[in-house]
Amino acid sequence: MFEVQNQPPPLEGYNLFTGDLVLREAVAREGADWGQGRLTSLGGELGLPETIALGFAANRFPPQLKAFDRFGHRLDEVEFHPAWHALMTLALKGGLHSSPWADPKPGAHVLRAAGCYMLGQIESGVLCPLAMTYGSVPTLRQNRAVAKEWLPRIFSHYYDPHFRPAREKTSALVGMGMTENQGGSDLRTNVTRAEPADGGFRLFGHKWFMSAPMCDAFLILANAPKGLSCFLMPRWTPDGERNAVNINRLKDKLGNKSNASSEVEFDGAYAELIGEEGRGIPTIIEMGNYTRLDCAIGSSSLMRQAVAQAVHHAMHRTAFQKKLVDQPLMNNVLADLALEAEAAAVLTFRLARAYDESDQAAQVFRRVMTPAAKFWICKRALTVTGEAMEVLGGSGYIEESIMPRLYREAPVNSIWEGSGNVMCLDVLRALDRTPGAAEVLAAEFDVGDEPRVQPFLDRLAERLAAPDRRDEAQARALVRDLVLALQAALLVRHAPPEVADAFCASRLEQGSGAVFGTLPRGVDAAAIVARAAPLQ
Ligand SMILES: Cc1cc2nc3c(=O)[nH]c(=O)nc-3n(C[C@H](O)[C@H](O)[C@H](O)COP(=O)(O)OP(=O)(O)OC[C@H]3O[C@@H](n4cnc5c(N)ncnc54)[C@H](O)[C@@H]3O)c2cc1C
């Protein structure tokens, strides 16, 4: 038997909060310092080997559709591995599905974002029902009776996995069905019908993607007599019958394996109108802002875990007589990856704070920067997870390392809730139609006459003022630069100089490289990597 040598210890038994300098600073800066105790406790629980094992089990044993019972009766239930339920129990205990609404206070959205950022590093499939439930609350509040009935259970911290009428459960979760077979970005193509019946509505049609189908109710877009409208469709009718929601099949997905995503058909499903009939898109779009914020949180979380694993590995593995982390080229790669993950985190938590604030500037900021951050952060996660995998060499390609799971998970945040192009076109619309957008952004970017940032800002200001700013073909380039300007400003203000210097030199002067490990000479890569190391 050969002797096992030169292998790193597993990254476990650490605290995902206290062991993450960037996260701790962001939480304190963005107004959730009061929640440090809760985050320390959650971070400790998430870092336990047994919790990490739950993440692996939930993905190794994906959910199964039970469409029928043995006699041929419809069931339309999805069975999950116990690990999924254990992770959901942990998430609801931490309030990650609704705490900012149940217990509103300054910093509440930031605190929840930090919890999701940590949970997503251990298992990110569960973030899907958590995000949708969190995002559904402002929309549900548009129907007072519905809110009165549903919110108390949505605010509960006691996860209830049973498939039974919500009033018999200790808690409730809410999903969302907008996308249809013929078009997801262009929701005006929706063909699902809502027919008035018995004081409510009955839905007929389909949804091509409806994730987390075991949620207790769903926000659904359907065509009512007055036009496209938003409905709440419970899985059980008020009479205690299974609602006519047929789950045709579960999607066989690239990643996001622990979570179920389904194709469904409605055969006269009971539903209640939310908001004004005919105003479905503006009604449900409020939910979209929160779920897009969650895409940024989820992708930042994937990047953090990828970088933590990569740095941890390189600190323990030796090649050519040196620890990998001390090999100059590997140091450059790791520092470059760490910069990207830190820039994503500072932007995500700054954005989350805008959801804690109600003044005009905060509203403008989140209208413009939510789709922008979703676009850029989710795109960067695709490359970061791939490059971080390579740091582990062949072991990184092996499932047990977690790196393949992070890599496969990355694209989903970029695609769902509005794919990249759709996000960038939304930013163009927001810049055009949001009064005060230019002033609010200018104030955010302003770091004095800072030579590392100013030339980039001057060029950006020219483009924003130019008549061809609305050129759709250039929307990705413009949105990328808006995000880089904000990330640079945040890092100059808040990060150590070596981080801000390297970010500005590589992303603003050199242009964000197609490949990591191309930081220019003169940056303090070792200090950047040391800051990113997960503290055990
Ligand atoms: C794992 C997963 C889970 C999902 N869960 C849900 C869910 O729970 N509920 C739900 O409603 N949906 C869900 N979706 C669906 C998702 O939101 C849609 O797939 C997405 O919005 C894109 O819609 P589409 O697939 O119809 O693509 P299309 O609308 O056909 O778009 C295809 C491509 O064209 C681009 N595009 C569209 N319009 C333009 C334009 N004007 N200019 C340039 N480019 C354009 C898009 O950016 C995209 O890249 C899920 C998707 C996935 C992958």
Side-chain angles (χ1 to χ4, degrees), residues 128 132 175-187 207-212 218-219 251 253 255-256 259-262 411-412 414-423 425 472 476:
C128 172
M132 293 193 293
M176 174 267 288
M178 297 198 288
T179 309
E180 296 186 2
N181 183 302
Q182 69 285 354
S185 306
D186 185 358
L187 295 171
K207 292 294 163 184
W208 182 236
F209 276 93
M210 198 176 87
S211 289
F218 294 83
L219 287 166
K251 299 285 196 186
K253 294 179 285 185
N256 195 250
N259 180 33
S261 299
S262 63
V412 67
S414 192
I415 293 174
W416 93 298
E417 277 305 70
S419 311
N421 290 352
V422 171
M423 288 300 91
L425 297 175
E472 290 190 5
R476 279 188 180 222

Side-chain angles (χ1 to χ4, degrees), residues 297-314:
I297 297 169
S299 286
S300 301
S301 161
L302 292 175
M303 284 193 261
R304 168 62 193 160
Q305 177 65 194
V307 169
Q309 292 284 353
V311 173
H312 173 80
H313 181 90

